[in-house]
Amino acid sequence: MTYRESFREAGPFTATFAFYLSGEESLDANAGLERLALKFPFDSSQDNPQLAAMMDSIPGCEWFRQLSIQDYPAPFIIFAMRGDFFPPYLPTLNPSRAALWPTESLEAIKNCRVWFVIETLFSPDNPQAAYGFLHRIAALIAGDRLVGGLDVQAHKLRSREECYDITTGDAPPPINELFSLSAYDDVIDVLVNEGVEKFADSFDSLSESVETETARIKDEIRAERRSQLADLAGAYDSALESLASESVVEALQDGRAEFWSDDADVAREIDNLLGWLQTVPEMQRVTAARQFSSLATDVNRRGYDRLVLLGMGGSSLAPEVMANTLPAAEGFPQLTVLDTTYPDAIERARAAMATERTLFIVSSKSGTTVETATLFDYFLEANDGNADDFIVITDPGSPLEARARNLGVWKVFTNRHDIGGRFSALSYFGLVPAAGAGIDVGDLLDEAAAVLPVHDLDHPGIALGAAIGAAATSGRNKLTLLSSNRWASFGTWLEQLIAESTGKNGVGIVPVVGEAPRAVAHYGDDRIFAVIEDGDADSTALAESLRQAGQPVVSLPANLGQLFMVWEIATAVAGKLLGINPFDQPNVQSAKDQTNRILSSGSSSEIEGLDARSAIQHVLSAAGRGSYIAIQAFVDPTDDTRDALASLANALAEQTPAPVTVGIGPRFLHSSGQLHKGGAAQGVFLQLVQASSNDLDIPGREYSFNRLFMAQADGDYQALAERNMDVTRAAVGSAGDILAMARSVAATGVAAD
């Protein structure tokens, strides 16, 4: 539809109220209003956040607010807004091309005071043309008296007092003609005849040029994406065709659960887990209301030295990424994530309370996660029962919410109930801890909003999902992330998202993160790579070498907000291509059940491990083509231990083309644990267990942290074994033992005794 046709179809009355921002009253012609609004490019709120927030609520505003009135010729704009927003808006107008009349609207808006701005764009170099046009319009409306003065050289309308107010009865009779529809018809006739008709052809020509250029750019992007996928290009095309036939764009726009399953019961479950598609604009409104900045101010005012997050999986990984990746304001406490039941780590956190005032954030969607619940109990007692140093984030109506309110914790944030943990990065679960640590979450949300809404099949999330889904169904199910060290914690978040979402029903995508670079020829043909383009020379060079060798490598921007959103969409899309429900985790419970059984029995572990040499020999011999090695480390999560585990993984990678992943328990049980048990039977599992000589009682429980920790290790081993997975256990006493294993493997290919 052309610009001229859109205007005429909307009709005079609707055109008069082209932009209606009251947000309270309704118009009979709303449909026409919204349709017309899309045709008037106008950025009226650059300097007015309050007005911008109102505009955000109008359909289509996301599009036209990004355009510039200086760059896009429009014959006129009529803008209606509440009188109380008049003063901050007026200075943004160009006085040489504007005229204002205050008036009451027609009966459809009843008693709501509005302001009209009629703005012409004949030529910036010929203000007299605009001046003459405005005078002709003014003569129609007000006869010889110009309302408030229309002298473009002395535009003095800066306050209501300088304008006629129809409600006081002091307006001259010609102003009252505004209340007759005929007066509006006359105005519209002039606007159409002398404005629209003069510019419709040029606007349509511009629109056609923009559409042509947009199509050209999209073709270039599509070609670049296909070229990055090497021999997967054909499978990628087929995946996109399949997704288009299933209306993937509409499914993501509208949250259509049936897109992922035609089983009515499953679709109902999925429908209750799609809130992540709406959370960004909701959290932007929370940001605009200063809820996050107020939290940050309160945390800073209280003088906390340290912020400790007690949570597992989706409740802790995203905040950790934000704390490690984004800058924080000076003077705020550093965020630390405590997601272990290892007694020594818990005791260190308690000891720090003696010298550092600590704010605890207890984060759990269900409110029943055993690690989070026991840590809450422990540190509440350690804080002498003072709940005022605790913040709780949970779902509404959860047991944790009830307990938190009963205890009188400092703050309680109830998240949308329809967001699964691993999709909750841009909800309260991710943003509250980040805000408390002095991070500007508003910028992060704006980054994410830049890739929303899902507009068409070219959306980067759909394209990425099609790529990794096509790769997985073509035998390349090892998704390897290439990045600089800055993005290491992002890889841990991505690992949970991908592994827990896709690893089920005997299929899945294996995320490989934090892997040291190999020789290009040493990578197998079961991989697809994703590189975060942040200018890092090493990862960029490796990505280019892999492409030259024919490996598929997709590029991603170094933009955290966009990465969160794009990967969440891509994961949901890939799940569709794999034929699974990406929003459940059916096998996570099996390890929990085994753990609970062990705790209830009170018995000691009966699992016989191997010595280090034998365990390594078995793992290397079992890791064949298409497999992967998963080091499952139930150990004290110190920096030294993490470094030793990375060394061991690198040493093993030198001996086999199989990818090597590392997970620290019990954290990984809420991450890659689902893939290990429910995905393809490709894993070779090396479980390292470090017993603690320390022990800590858990208030209100019959077992200690040491007992819980060992039961979790035993429970996961047994859950793997009962599925006939290849799992081997070896005991370690310290980080030094792990490092000795790594050195021995690197030197001889086997572990030291």
Side-chain angles (χ1 to χ4, degrees), residues 20-290:
Y20 174 64
L21 295 184
S22 169
E24 298 173 3
E25 295 77 15
S26 62
L27 290 174
D28 295 334
N30 264 339
L33 180 149
E34 295 166 3
R35 185 165 55 251
L36 187 65
L38 288 170
K39 297 297 181 181
F40 287 84
F42 189 53
D43 188 355
S44 63
S45 53
Q46 290 177 340
D47 301 317
N48 188 343
Q50 193 173 19
L51 182 58
M54 294 183 66
M55 293 180 71
D56 284 341
S57 66
I58 298 178
C61 274
E62 304 91 348
W63 180 80
F64 71 74
R65 281 187 58 217
Q66 298 176 20
L67 304 180
S68 169
I69 195 170
Q70 286 79 17
D71 299 334
Y72 292 82
F76 69 94
I77 292 171
I78 300 179
F79 191 92
M81 80 182 160
R82 293 290 294 272
D84 51 355
F85 289 99
F86 171 66
Y89 166 75
L90 186 58
T92 69
L93 292 175
N94 184 338
S96 68
R97 294 190 281 113
L100 275 82
W101 298 274
T103 181
E104 289 299 303
S105 65
L106 296 179
E107 185 177 356
I109 308 184
K110 301 186 184 302
N111 297 320
C112 172
R113 174 172 287 110
V114 296
W115 302 86
F116 294 92
V117 177
I118 298 180
E119 185 156 335
T120 65
L121 274 174
F122 284 86
S123 168
D125 300 323
N126 185 12
Q128 291 303 315
Y131 181 85
F133 176 73
L134 292 174
H135 269 274
R136 287 194 293 276
I137 300 298
L140 252 175
I141 296 177
D144 295 333
R145 293 189 62 180
L146 303 182
V147 182
L150 285 174
D151 188 341
V152 294
Q153 303 302 323
H155 191 73
K156 298 179 179 179
L157 295 181
R158 289 295 184 271
S159 68
R160 184 178 304 173
E161 287 70 27
E162 297 181 41
C163 304
Y164 288 118
D165 187 342
I166 194 70
T167 62
T168 65
D170 65 347
I175 300 298
N176 294 322
E177 294 178 10
L178 290 173
F179 285 93
S180 68
L181 286 176
S182 61
Y184 281 91
D185 290 339
D186 291 340
V187 173
I188 294 303
D189 285 343
V190 172
L191 293 173
V192 171
N193 293 334
E194 298 193 18
V196 175
E197 296 297 338
K198 291 184 178 181
F199 288 92
D201 291 340
S202 61
F203 189 88
D204 288 341
S205 176
L206 175 64
S207 297
E208 183 177 350
S209 298
V210 170
E211 290 173 1
T212 300
E213 181 65 10
T214 299
R216 183 190 67 78
I217 293 172
K218 284 188 174 182
D219 286 342
E220 289 182 356
I221 293 173
R222 291 168 187 149
E224 175 63 19
R225 286 171 175 169
R226 293 186 80 257
S227 69
Q228 291 179 356
L229 292 173
D231 61 358
L232 284 177
Y236 171 73
D237 292 340
S238 297
L240 285 177
E241 291 176 7
S242 174
L243 291 168
S245 69
E246 296 277 357
S247 302
V248 62
V249 174
E250 292 76 11
L252 291 167
Q253 287 176 341
D254 304 332
R256 300 180 185 176
E258 60 273 15
F259 172 75
W260 287 276
S261 178
D262 55 10
D263 182 291
D265 292 335
V266 175
R268 275 193 294 271
E269 293 175 0
I270 293 174
D271 189 53
N272 200 38
L273 290 168
L274 295 177
W276 57 277
L277 291 168
Q278 287 84 42
T279 190
V280 169
E282 288 181 0
M283 291 296 101
Q284 284 184 304
R285 288 192 287 274
V286 170
T287 302
R290 301 186 58 80

Side-chain angles (χ1 to χ4, degrees), residues 37 184 314 320 404 517 520 527 607 635 671:
Y184 281 91
E320 187 174 59
V520 171
R527 301 221 195 193
I607 299 171
V635 295
S671 177

Side-chain angles (χ1 to χ4, degrees), residues 671-691:
S671 177
S672 55
Q674 168 62 45
L675 171 77
H676 295 164
K677 303 171 193 67
Q682 298 174 330
V684 179
F685 302 101
L686 173 61
Q687 190 185 78
L688 303 179
V689 180
Q690 179 183 2

